[in-house]
Every structure is written in C-alpha cells, then in structure tokens.
Amino acid sequence: MIGAIVAIAAAAFVNSVKYFAELRKTFSGNFLTLERVSIDLTLTGFITGAAILILLIRRVFDIPRWYGPADTIYAAHQDVEPLDLRAGLASTLVALISACGAASVGQYGPLVHFGATAGAGLKKLFFVPMSSNVVIGCGVAAAISAGFNAPIAGIIFAHEAVLRHFSPKAMAPIATSAIVAAAMVNYVFQLPHPLTLRGEAPALIEAFLPIILASVMFGLVAVIFMISLRKFAVINKNWGLKPYQSLSIAVCAVVIIGSFVPNALGLGTDALVSLLNTPQDLSFIATLLLAKIILTSICLGFGFFGGVFSPALLVGAASGALLAKAFEPVVASSLTAALTLAGMASVAACVVGAPLATVFIVLELTLSYEFTLITLLAVIVSQVVSSNIFGHSFFDRQLMDRGIDLRFGRNQLSLNQTTVAGYATCDYIATPTNGTAQEVMTELRKKAQTEAYCLTYDGNFVGKITINQLLDAPPEKPVSAFLDRSPLTLNETHSMHEAIEIASSFVGESIPVVSKETGKMLGVLTEADLFAAYLKIQDNIRAVER
C-alpha cells in the first residue's frame, strides 16, 4: 500500500509540474520592457500565484515551518517525536505548488517525506505491527524508486540515508514497497526515465587522474552550495521578515534571474538532460551553475519550499560540464559525459549523504558498468572532501541547528530523550530539619544505607548527610547543623546522558533528583539505576536494528 500510494503521489507530482511548465510555455512571450530589462509577465503571474497559495496554506494549516527529509531522518531514529501527518501533507502540497510556480526547488525531498508520512499514517490507521522506522523506510524507498525508476537505489537510500543501519527484518517490507512503486511507475503511469544518457564512457585509465582532480572540486562545489542554502536562510531569519515579505523577495529573485536564465527555474530536469547529452557553451554552463545556486538558495531561504536533491543534481552536472571544458586541451578523449554524470552524482551524494544510493541511481539509469565505476570513484573522493569541511549531509546540519546530533547514532539520541524523572526512586531515608543524629543513625542501620536526605515538612530538599558525618556528630544534635547543603543534584529536566556524565565523577550511594521549579525532592538515582536505564536503552536499540 505504501509503494502504491507513493507511486501515485510521484506521478501526480511529476505530471503536475510538467503540465504547468507546458502551460507557461503556451502563454510565454508576454514581456514588460523597462529600459534594458525585460520582465516575463507569464513567469511573474505563475510565481506570484504560487506565493499567494503558500501564504493561504500556511494560514489554514497554521504551520510555523515546513517539514522535509531532515524530519524524516529524525523520526526514523526515535519514537518520542513522531511524524506530524498534517504538517507532512501540507509541506508536500507547498513543495508541489512551489515547483509548479517555477521556483527553483526539487521534488525528491518532498516525495521522500511524503512517503515517510504515508507509511506512518498507514501504520496508525491499520495498527500495523511494525516499528515506525520500518514503515518510514518503506515510504522513503518507494519515493526514490518512483522518482528515479530505480528500486535498488531506493532500498539502499532508505537504509543508508534515513535508517542508517541494515536490518534484515526490514529488508522484505522496504524492498516490497520499492518494487511496487517502480512497477506502478513503469506499467500503470508509464512515466519516462527522468534522465537519459547518450555516448560511451571513456577508459578508466584515461579518466582516472582527471576524475580524481575534478572530484575534489565537486566536493568543494557541494560545500559552497550547502553553505549558500544555510546563509540565505540565516539572512531571512536575521531580518525578521514576515512570511509575505520573505516570499516577495523570493518572487522578485525568480522573476529577475528567471528572465535572464530560464533554465535555472523549476526542477531543472530539461537543463540536466541537455547538459548530459549535448555540448554546451562555456558561458552558458557557468551562468547556469551560478544562477542555480543563488536562485535555489533564495527560494528555499525566503519562503518557497521543496527538495535540494534535484537542484544538487543540476549544480553537480553543470560543475562537471564546466570542468570537462577545462580538461579538453589536455585529454585526448572526451570526458564531457563522464564528468557531467560524475559531478551530478557527487554533489547530490554530498548534499543528501547517500553515496552508495547515488551510485546505484547512476547504475540503474545508465546500465553502464563503466560510467558507474567512474561515478563511484568521484563520489568517494568528493564525499571525503565535503564531510571533512561541512559534515555528513545538509540534512544532518539542519538537525544540528535544532540541537539534534545524529553522529553518535540512536544510542546517544535515546539517552538524550530519556529524562531522569522516569527512573528516580523513593528508596531513600528522609529526615526533618530537627531530626537528631542518633535518630538518623538508627534509621540508616535499620535500612542498611549510608546516606540520608534532609527535607522540610513540605518536602523541599534542604541537604544531604552521610554516615561518616554522623559518626563524629553529638547524638542529640540536629542534623541541620552539619549536613551538606550543596551536594551534587539532578533535576527532572536532566537527560540520562547528562546524568551519566555528571555521575562519572560522583562518589556516593545515590544522587538526589530535585524539582527545578519547586525545589521538592522527587527521588534518588543510584549508579545501579543509571546502568539499568542504559542497558534498557541498548536493548531497545538492538531490537530496532536486529
């Protein structure tokens, strides 16, 4: 069901964007000339209409931000914050409107999140006895499979970029979803391949050194592209603009840049196919590369919404075609097709953090072992450059901006999401402020403990006293005279990860958990409690990844 639903969505997305692109061409030719600048009125109408619809959807759904692949990855790594189905559907609709209006955005990111949302929704609707990460993986695999007509790449993408582990029990449903989506795309909707490639691959021995050198540049281009995406988003945030003001800036950018470089508009599929199959002028390639980076950054940073995968493909292809021009005087055979394809795959792999899946996309699209081998070499080198400068992927950096670090996997994420309040116990000795040393000592002997906690009659924490302090104290003297009023404490907001770090330098029997707001004693945590919580989390993670 997930595979079928995502295939329908992919077909609807692709055909809708294609229909509106043809509609723009039908009404093209309407220009307003202001001195030396000609404004495309048709483009202005389409992109303005898209901006108005996005503002209406934002108001109707009351959503502060749009949701994409970063949220999908996060949802697949934990169960505390599940996918918001309403926000996911609204985000996919806004991405479709943005692409139909000619904004420079991609389709694969929204389809990936829609697939994950569809999986989560069906699991909830039919009470599917599968873990959330499995149904999310099914939706993701189906989206890539339907989008590229590449089911193997979809399966690998789901495991590599989203789930980040290989689970044998998840393979069957994820593979089924991807195969069903590909079958429907081929036999029901009969969508054409998104990319076609003509020409033969050069010999690897001839292309080896140029590919290595070019791959370093591909990694740097990917870093520049991702930094540009982040910078424009930060600029919009720092300016404190209202949604309609941000979208107005994006609309102006689309109209102005699109009037000069129309190939930079929309998904960029036609421009990508042209770069892969037809020799292009150097100035055209350079202009397209610069325009696509700037326009995509403005569109995504100032209110439009969509994916970054499709723009990354075009940015990478333009980079490869540009470098092929540079190598023409020194290389005997043509490297245009090989470098364009390698650049396309390399930049996209760096941006989305899926090197193997991207290589398999190339393999399934070209059915060429030689091209795939060259692409694999380029992707590996560019990924090393990009990951060391920028990070694993653009989505990981988006999550890190929200305080979510996936570099240490599910283990640390689960520890950070588990608070100590759920593990605090009431197995401790409490004494009032006027309790005597002898009374507390008697209670400690009776319960075989070495520490007691002094509380007010309202249950507020006052301090801690140990058996060593009681041994030297006069028996009838109240404990309030010699207790430790500033011991190591935790509060209910501390995560288990923070508690373990704090306890690493702790010496004693237990740590008091005190309410941050009221100062009341909530319980205690022992080292045994921390070990038990850690082992429980580990067992849960092993169950997910087994």
Side-chain angles (χ1 to χ4, degrees):
M1 290 180 68
I2 293 171
I5 290 172
V6 174
I8 293 170
F13 202 110
V14 171
N15 287 327
S16 297
V17 175
K18 185 178 179 181
Y19 172 78
F20 280 95
E22 293 297 327
L23 201 61
R24 286 201 310 274
K25 291 179 182 178
T26 302
F27 293 99
S28 63
N30 300 311
F31 290 92
L32 175 64
T33 303
L34 301 173
E35 295 184 357
R36 297 182 180 181
V37 179
S38 294
I39 303 299
D40 188 336
L41 295 179
T42 302
L43 173 62
T44 304
F46 272 82
I47 195 66
T48 303
I52 293 171
L53 285 175
I54 290 172
L55 290 172
L56 289 175
I57 292 173
R58 181 185 287 274
R59 175 168 292 184
V60 170
F61 284 86
D62 192 24
I63 299 173
R65 67 176 181 88
W66 308 119
Y67 288 70
D71 302 283
T72 301
I73 295 169
Y74 180 52
H77 280 72
Q78 47 82 45
D79 295 318
V80 176
E81 298 180 37
L83 287 171
D84 187 328
L85 305 185
R86 186 165 165 271
L89 293 175
S91 299
T92 306
L93 179 60
V94 167
L96 175 60
I97 292 171
S98 298
C100 289
S104 180
V105 298
Q107 64 176 339
Y108 301 109
L111 286 176
V112 161
H113 189 68
F114 173 81
T117 302
L122 288 173
K123 170 181 165 60
K124 186 176 181 179
L125 182 64
F126 293 104
F127 305 100
V128 179
M130 287 183 184
S131 60
S132 297
N133 69 313
V134 174
V135 293
I136 287 173
C138 290
V140 169
I144 297 298
S145 175
F148 287 100
N149 198 2
I152 299 175
I155 296 166
I156 294 174
F157 184 90
H159 284 93
E160 179 185 29
V162 179
L163 302 186
R164 310 262 173 114
H165 74 274
F166 179 83
S167 173
K169 70 178 180 182
M171 174 57 75
I174 288 176
T176 301
S177 181
I179 293 168
V180 167
M184 290 195 67
V185 163
N186 278 308
Y187 302 112
V188 178
F189 302 110
Q190 297 179 343
L191 292 179
H193 276 269
L195 301 174
T196 56
L197 183 66
R198 300 180 181 89
E200 296 182 357
L204 183 60
I205 189 66
E206 296 179 5
F208 186 83
L209 185 58
I211 289 292
I212 291 289
L213 295 175
S215 301
V216 175
M217 296 304 299
F218 295 151
L220 295 175
V221 169
V223 170
I224 292 170
F225 180 51
M226 290 186 284
I227 289 175
S228 177
L229 291 171
R230 287 168 53 80
K231 287 293 183 183
F232 278 92
V234 170
I235 290 172
N236 183 27
K237 184 178 179 181
N238 291 340
W239 284 355
L241 301 176
K242 295 180 179 179
Y244 76 90
Q245 294 173 322
S246 298
L247 277 168
S248 298
I249 293 174
V251 166
C252 292
V254 170
V255 171
I256 294 171
I257 297 177
S259 297
F260 290 100
V261 194
N263 287 289
L265 296 171
L267 302 178
T269 305
D270 292 340
L272 181 58
V273 173
S274 178
L275 285 173
L276 286 169
N277 296 284
T278 308
Q280 301 291 335
D281 181 72
L282 180 64
S283 60
F284 168 79
I285 300 170
T287 303
L288 178 61
L289 174 61
L290 184 62
K292 192 63 178 177
I293 291 176
I294 294 175
L295 189 56
T296 304
S297 301
I298 294 175
C299 284
L300 293 178
F302 282 82
F304 286 107
F305 180 71
V308 295
F309 201 178
S310 296
L313 291 173
L314 183 54
V315 167
S319 303
L322 200 63
L323 289 171
K325 294 285 185 182
F327 282 117
E328 278 182 357
V330 294
V331 179
S333 58
S334 175
L335 295 178
T336 301
L339 279 174
T340 303
L341 188 64
M344 177 195 82
S346 297
V347 174
C350 294
V351 171
V352 302
L356 288 179
T358 309
V359 170
F360 270 89
I361 288 174
V362 171
L363 176 61
E364 292 189 87
L365 291 179
T366 65
L367 298 179
S368 168
Y369 178 77
E370 291 78 13
F371 272 126
T372 303
L373 202 59
I374 289 173
T375 302
L376 176 61
L377 176 63
V379 166
I380 290 172
V381 175
S382 60
Q383 187 77 19
V384 171
V385 174
S386 173
S387 60
N388 278 282
I389 297 175
F390 184 85
H392 179 70
S393 72
F394 178 69
F395 307 131
D396 281 49
R397 286 297 293 268
Q398 283 184 313
L399 290 173
M400 289 181 72
D401 290 340
R402 291 158 49 186
I404 303 166
D405 192 347
L406 297 182
R407 289 177 297 176
F408 302 102
R410 285 178 174 79
N411 184 32
Q412 185 163 313
L413 185 60
S414 296
L415 289 171
N416 282 328
Q417 289 186 327
T418 305
T419 60
V420 298
Y423 289 89
T425 67
C426 293
D427 185 19
Y428 63 90
I429 296 174
T431 178
T433 53
N434 59 356
T436 65
Q438 185 174 358
E439 291 172 343
V440 176
M441 181 67 81
T442 301
E443 195 68 19
L444 290 175
R445 289 196 183 102
K446 186 188 300 183
K447 294 188 176 180
Q449 294 188 22
T450 62
E451 297 174 344
Y453 296 94
C454 185
L455 309 178
T456 65
Y457 288 106
D458 295 332
N460 290 339
F461 179 77
V462 178
K464 179 179 181 179
I465 188 165
T466 66
I467 194 169
N468 290 331
Q469 293 169 311
L470 292 171
L471 289 173
D472 298 329
E476 301 302 324
K477 194 167 185 178
V479 293
S480 58
F482 43 84
L483 57 80
D484 182 0
R485 294 180 179 272
S486 300
L488 181 66
T489 61
L490 298 170
N491 62 62
E492 71 275 21
T493 64
H494 277 121
S495 68
M496 291 304 298
H497 182 260
E498 292 172 321
I500 290 172
E501 286 188 334
I502 292 170
S504 63
S505 58
F506 170 71
V507 178
E509 188 174 85
S510 61
I511 304 174
V513 180
V514 181
S515 174
K516 190 176 183 180
E517 294 183 358
T518 64
K520 291 186 179 297
M521 181 84 166
L522 302 177
V524 296
L525 269 181
T526 65
E527 290 183 342
D529 295 328
L530 292 175
F531 287 136
Y534 180 81
L535 291 174
K536 182 180 179 181
I537 290 171
Q538 289 284 76
D539 289 341
N540 291 338
I541 293 172
R542 277 194 291 268
V544 169
E545 298 182 352
R546 192 162 41 238

